[in-house]
Amino acid sequence: ELKVEQNPLFLSMQEGKNYTIYCNYSTTSDRLYWYRQDPGKSLESLFVLLSNGAVKQEGRLMASLDTKARLSTLHITAAVHDLSATYFCAVVPNYGGSQGNLIFGKGTKLSVKP
Amino acid sequence: DGGITQSPKYLFRKEGQNVTLSCEQNLNHDAMYWYRQDPGQGLRLIYYSQIVNDFQKGDIAEGYSVSREKKESFPLTVTSAQKNPTAFYLCASSQNLNTEAFFGQGTRLTVV
């Protein structure tokens, strides 16, 4: 059974600082998603990572995928308050995998304080 | 405006009642999904459908039922057999089972 673990689950940051959120998964996959969720809202797609070594950047966020280590990272550079949200990674396993098998981590709740 | 519409946004149900959550999409997507989210948790898959008149159980299908009579619509019924139905329910759709899913705005169901 595929397990997806995020850490930390809670992260309080000061504005201007850098930090990394980690997403580990337990079986082979080369399709991983990062989503953002604001309180009481839907999920917003941030990044789709489809191959080993994939790196994508949007503004202050950068995501990477290492399929050999079964690890994805979401790096935050010079955090600002607007980045406060919960961030989820989600993984599709290679074996028998489809969107119907998408497994989510528990999310990392990020709070950026002045 | 293309997108996924869930209704209602908030729903209250008395114990023992069935209730149906609506999900409509005008993206011409073949696949649709229902997820449940509990506080502090990730999303868990209830049901998904890859084509009209076909659907598959997800990880937590017990106490739920779905139908897919039209491509655009994938309603979810929360039955009285669902022991703990209070949660945030998210509908999603994708072009097919191998492409990225996009999410609706969610329905918050509370049992009173």
Side-chain angles (χ1 to χ4, degrees):
Chain A
E1 181 190 336
L2 172 62
K3 294 190 181 194
V4 179
E5 292 186 354
Q6 286 182 238
N7 72 83
L9 297 181
F10 297 93
L11 178 55
S12 182
M13 295 177 66
Q14 277 194 306
E15 279 192 329
K17 299 291 188 184
N18 303 335
Y19 209 85
T20 300
I21 299 170
Y22 298 89
C23 175
N24 290 274
Y25 52 95
S26 61
T27 192
T28 55
S29 169
D30 49 25
R31 193 172 356 153
L32 187 143
Y33 303 88
W34 282 99
Y35 291 95
R36 168 183 171 141
Q37 186 180 37
D38 292 297
K41 303 291 186 184
S42 184
L43 271 67
E44 173 192 352
S45 177
L46 294 175
F47 300 108
V48 181
L49 302 171
L50 299 176
S51 61
N52 187 40
V55 177
K56 291 195 175 178
Q57 182 162 6
E58 181 72 34
R60 299 174 189 275
L61 300 177
M62 183 173 72
S64 66
L65 178 62
D66 181 342
T67 58
K68 292 179 182 173
R70 300 180 186 174
L71 171 69
S72 179
T73 60
L74 180 66
H75 186 74
I76 302 155
T77 301
V80 293
H81 179 69
D82 283 352
L83 289 179
S84 297
T86 299
Y87 294 86
F88 291 95
C89 66
V91 177
V92 178
N94 282 354
Y95 177 71
S98 72
Q99 290 296 136
N101 305 104
L102 189 63
I103 303 295
F104 283 80
K106 290 189 175 182
T108 296
K109 186 171 183 179
L110 171 66
S111 175
V112 181
K113 302 189 183 302
Chain B
D1 228 50
I4 303 165
T5 303
Q6 289 187 240
S7 61
K9 189 172 180 179
Y10 299 96
L11 189 56
F12 296 88
R13 187 194 95 174
K14 291 183 180 180
E15 280 193 35
Q17 286 182 338
N18 293 354
V19 64
T20 297
L21 282 59
S22 169
C23 179
E24 305 274 333
Q25 54 98 359
N26 60 5
L27 300 169
N28 201 32
H29 285 172
D30 285 321
M32 297 186 74
Y33 315 81
W34 275 105
Y35 290 91
R36 170 181 171 139
Q37 185 178 27
D38 293 286
Q41 300 293 317
L43 277 64
R44 292 182 292 166
L45 183 65
I46 305 172
Y47 270 98
Y48 69 99
S49 165
Q50 62 176 325
I51 200 166
V52 174
N53 292 324
D54 180 70
F55 47 83
Q56 305 294 327
K57 290 182 180 180
D59 299 319
I60 55 165
E62 186 175 348
Y64 299 97
S65 65
V66 293
S67 63
R68 186 90 188 274
E69 296 176 2
K70 297 187 298 181
K71 187 174 184 177
E72 316 82 68
S73 179
F74 191 40
L76 173 74
T77 297
V78 184
T79 75
S80 56
Q82 170 50 236
K83 297 303 177 193
N84 186 20
T86 294
F88 189 50
Y89 290 87
L90 283 159
C91 176
S93 71
S94 62
Q95 190 62 54
N96 55 57
L97 286 184
N98 294 311
T99 55
E100 183 182 5
F102 298 92
F103 289 81
Q105 293 302 307
T107 293
R108 185 166 300 282
L109 173 63
T110 304
V111 174
V112 296

